[in-house]
């Protein structure tokens, strides 16, 4: 019997070049399909969809660093990553390549999201079941609904509540996939230090939308606390490396030792985040969160942390100083562990794949 095929198609880079939570979530789901015996094709672009900038050099370097061989011809890279067949093409060739893939492999399911996903969904639904993954509440994310996917996968209840699903489609809450907690790999070169510093505070992606203004105030007012900041969407090191109580970590995919080396995670977003992965990942390491009351952050935190108005600086200072890290950390782990689960049965329950093929 021929194994069924799943296709992940979008205008961002395919694995393993990651930028944010959407990339991580889709890679983990694609890998789960591969482990379940599916043939998996992941089609993306080596040109950024937001400005057309070339990512091909970064992609080659990343593959080389991981010892992955690739083939390159006609401005297309092909390689395999953890059982997934990956293809990266130019933006102007993506839809043509998708048509070829659909004709060749006849997928049972196509998953798409983010920039330009409506066109991809409309094209794919002629031959396959289509899932449009809503990774946020932005217009960019919800634009896929204009392509009338059969099912909208909402990454939280908060996101599902904002979805305006077209007639004939359904929205289901589909929390992101998570891997078990990492061990404690070494920090990147040059960042050696104690594995754990009591009272240490961690924040990922310190940019204005994620609460960097509040972060500056906390660093000023809590000089006795060590803050570990991890580069996110772009490098803001110049803003923070002058503080004596700040350790700056360049973007890394090996977060295990950073979670384990901290007692508290800060998520002070000013924007309505959908369901931040870092909250659950920290929880898997028994690290509680002090989070903003915006968007889906309270839903992700549950009882494993403290939720505050992002404009109430005094409350944040008090929480960092007085939060019961042990008790909240245990609750954070209790909240996080069930999210490390097989995801294919949820897709089968949503009618996207046959139950027999859910592994």
């Amino acid at each position: 019997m021929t194994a069924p095929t799943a296709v992940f198609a979008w205008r961002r880079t395919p694995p393993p070049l990651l930028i944010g939570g959407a990339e991580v979530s889709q890679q983990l789901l694609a890998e789960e399909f591969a482990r379940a015996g599916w043939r998996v094709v992941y089609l993306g672009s080596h040109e950024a969809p937001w400005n057309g900038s070339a990512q091909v050099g970064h992609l080659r370097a990343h593959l080389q660093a991981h010892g992955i061989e690739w083939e390159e011809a006609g401005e297309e890279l092909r390689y395999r990553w953890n059982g997934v067949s990956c293809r990266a093409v130019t933006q102007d060739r993506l839809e043509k390549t998708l048509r070829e893939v659909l004709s060749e492999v006849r997928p049972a399911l196509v998953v798409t999201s983010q920039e330009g996903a409506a066109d991809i969904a409309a094209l794919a639904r002629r031959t396959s079941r289509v899932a449009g993954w809503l990774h946020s509440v932005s217009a960019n994310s919800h634009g896929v609904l204009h392509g009338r996917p059969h099912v909208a996968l909402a990454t939280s209840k908060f996101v599902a509540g904002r979805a305006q699903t077209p007639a004939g489609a359904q929205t289901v809450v589909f929390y992101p996939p998570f891997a078990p907690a990492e061990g404690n790999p070494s920090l990147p070169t040059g960042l050696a230090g104690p594995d754990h510093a009591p009272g240490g505070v961690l924040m990922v992606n310190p940019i204005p939308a994620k609460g960097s203004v509040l972060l500056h105030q906390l660093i000023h007012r809590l000089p006795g606390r060590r803050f570990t900041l991890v580069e996110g969407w772009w490098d803001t090191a110049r803003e923070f490396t002058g503080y004596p109580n700040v350790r700056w970590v360049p973007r890394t995919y090996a977060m295990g030792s950073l979670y384990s080396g901290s007692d508290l995670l800060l998520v002070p977003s000013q924007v309505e985040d959908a369901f931040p992965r870092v909250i659950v990942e920290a929880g898997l390491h028994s690290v509680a969160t002090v989070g903003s009351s915006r968007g889906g952050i309270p839903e992700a935190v549950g009882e494993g942390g403290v939720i505050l108005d992002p404009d109430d600086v005094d409350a944040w200072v008090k929480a960092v100083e007085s939060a019961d890290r042990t008790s909240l950390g245990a609750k954070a782990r209790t909240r996080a562990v069930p999210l490390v689960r097989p995801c294919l049965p949820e897709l089968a329950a949503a009618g996207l794949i046959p139950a027999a093929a859910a592994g």
Side-chain angles (χ1 to χ4, degrees):
M1 180 178 177
T2 304
T5 300
V7 170
F8 288 71
W10 69 348
R11 292 190 173 276
R12 296 188 179 184
T13 50
L17 189 60
L18 306 177
I19 298 174
E23 286 84 349
V24 177
S25 295
Q26 294 197 175
Q27 176 177 320
L28 289 176
L29 185 61
E31 292 173 358
E32 182 178 340
F33 270 107
R35 291 193 301 272
W38 285 60
R39 178 182 180 184
V40 185
V41 178
Y42 204 123
L43 173 63
S45 176
H46 53 68
E47 295 175 336
W50 43 84
N51 62 7
S53 61
Q55 303 292 312
V56 67
H58 297 297
L59 183 54
R60 290 193 200 102
H62 201 66
L63 293 173
Q64 186 173 17
H66 284 82
I68 304 297
E69 296 182 355
W70 69 88
E71 299 176 356
E72 189 168 356
E75 297 186 296
E76 177 177 349
L77 273 69
R78 295 192 185 194
Y79 54 92
R80 291 188 65 79
W81 174 266
N82 289 349
V84 177
S85 177
C86 300
R87 300 177 66 172
V89 300
T90 56
Q91 290 289 347
D92 61 3
R93 287 185 55 84
L94 192 135
E95 288 191 25
K96 178 178 184 296
T97 305
L98 176 59
R99 289 189 183 91
E100 295 170 355
V101 169
L102 294 174
S103 176
E104 176 188 349
V105 304
R106 300 289 179 178
L109 175 66
V110 175
V111 179
T112 188
S113 67
Q114 303 301 89
E115 297 84 4
D119 292 339
I120 293 172
L123 176 60
R125 76 185 315 276
R126 301 171 188 171
T127 59
S128 310
R129 295 286 287 172
V130 176
W133 203 334
L134 309 181
H135 292 288
S136 73
V137 294
S138 69
N140 179 54
S141 182
H142 283 234
V144 68
L145 298 175
H146 296 298
R148 300 179 61 241
H150 297 94
V151 175
L153 301 175
T155 201
S156 65
K157 294 177 183 176
F158 164 69
V159 172
R162 293 286 187 87
Q164 298 182 358
T165 312
Q170 63 171 323
T171 298
V172 299
V173 176
F174 182 69
Y175 289 120
F178 290 92
E182 305 169 16
N184 290 305
S186 299
L187 286 173
T189 303
L191 294 169
D195 289 336
H196 183 269
V201 179
L202 175 69
M203 180 176 171
V204 181
N205 199 10
I207 62 173
K210 301 298 183 178
S212 63
V213 173
L214 172 59
L215 177 63
H216 277 290
Q217 296 179 74
L218 295 178
I219 294 169
H220 273 298
R221 293 180 57 174
L222 298 168
R225 293 285 177 181
R226 186 195 71 172
F227 290 78
T228 297
L229 310 183
V230 185
E231 178 186 350
W233 293 348
W234 65 82
D235 186 355
T236 56
R238 290 184 180 181
E239 294 185 31
F240 296 102
T241 50
Y243 292 114
N245 57 333
V246 166
R247 178 177 59 160
W248 179 267
V249 179
R251 183 182 298 154
T252 176
Y253 302 145
M255 290 287 294
S257 61
L258 295 172
Y259 292 128
S260 299
S262 304
D263 283 344
L264 204 62
L265 174 74
L266 299 183
V267 184
S269 294
Q270 292 288 327
V271 296
E272 293 183 314
D273 283 338
F275 193 85
R277 294 189 57 86
V278 291
I279 293 172
V280 176
E281 291 169 358
L284 292 170
H285 290 82
S286 299
V287 177
T289 296
V290 179
S292 165
S293 56
R294 303 279 166 84
I297 294 173
E299 185 178 347
V301 172
E303 296 184 349
V306 179
I307 298 299
L308 300 171
D309 186 318
D311 297 322
D312 190 345
V313 180
D314 290 340
W316 283 78
V317 171
K318 181 179 179 180
V320 172
E321 287 287 72
S322 64
D324 184 345
R325 288 157 164 74
T326 301
S327 175
L328 290 174
K331 292 177 180 177
R333 180 169 171 77
T334 298
R335 166 72 172 119
V337 167
L339 292 173
V340 181
R341 84 286 184 197
C343 291
L344 300 196
E346 295 175 30
L347 301 182
L352 281 168
I353 62 175

